[in-house]
Amino acid sequence: MWTRQHKQRNTGRLIIPSLCVLFLAYFGFHAYHGEFGIYSKYRLQARTVELQAQLDAVKARRIDFERRVQLMHEGTLEKDMLDEQARKALNLSQPDEITIMLPAPTK
């Protein structure tokens, strides 16, 4: 009687560990680079610092504007401020005055 003999294969033992490694690599990659991953957290923190600096600049400009508007309110109307704003709006000056042009503010 003839019998077949099968050689033991070692590939069956590697299927489950290789699947586990692939599974962990996939989720590990996305835990770092994904939308809510560690790298995204650092990008969001950097963006937060940048936007906070912009907010501080806008608040400083607003305070300056509020101070200048306050000078133009009734009862505290400052004639120099009114004269400056009128000349700036109308682009006029007296013949005996010296006009100093300032560069435009940069953003």
Side-chain angles (χ1 to χ4, degrees):
M1 171 170 204
W2 294 87
T3 60
R4 284 189 181 177
Q5 295 188 6
H6 295 283
K7 183 178 179 184
Q8 292 287 335
R9 294 186 184 154
N10 291 331
T11 56
R13 289 188 232 166
L14 297 177
I15 292 175
I16 299 294
S18 62
L19 288 177
C20 288
V21 166
L22 289 175
F23 181 80
L24 290 174
Y26 175 80
F27 284 107
F29 177 81
H30 288 286
Y32 186 77
H33 292 287
E35 184 178 354
F36 300 106
I38 296 168
Y39 182 67
S40 296
K41 177 184 172 186
Y42 295 130
R43 283 191 319 203
L44 286 174
Q45 287 174 346
R47 181 80 172 135
T48 302
V49 169
E50 178 184 323
L51 290 176
Q52 188 64 41
Q54 288 180 0
L55 178 64
D56 293 341
V58 169
K59 282 183 179 180
R61 284 186 61 207
R62 180 184 172 141
I63 290 170
D64 183 51
F65 286 144
E66 286 177 353
R67 182 187 57 79
R68 294 180 72 153
V69 167
Q70 185 65 32
L71 292 174
M72 294 174 58
H73 277 219
E74 186 177 335
T76 62
L77 189 62
E78 192 174 308
K79 292 181 182 180
D80 290 336
M81 182 70 173
L82 180 63
D83 186 50
E84 176 190 342
Q85 293 299 322
R87 288 172 188 258
K88 190 175 190 179
L90 298 174
N91 200 18
L92 295 175
S93 65
Q94 297 294 331
D96 61 340
E97 293 178 339
I98 298 173
T99 304
I100 300 172
M101 304 298 276
L102 297 176
T106 59
K107 292 183 180 180

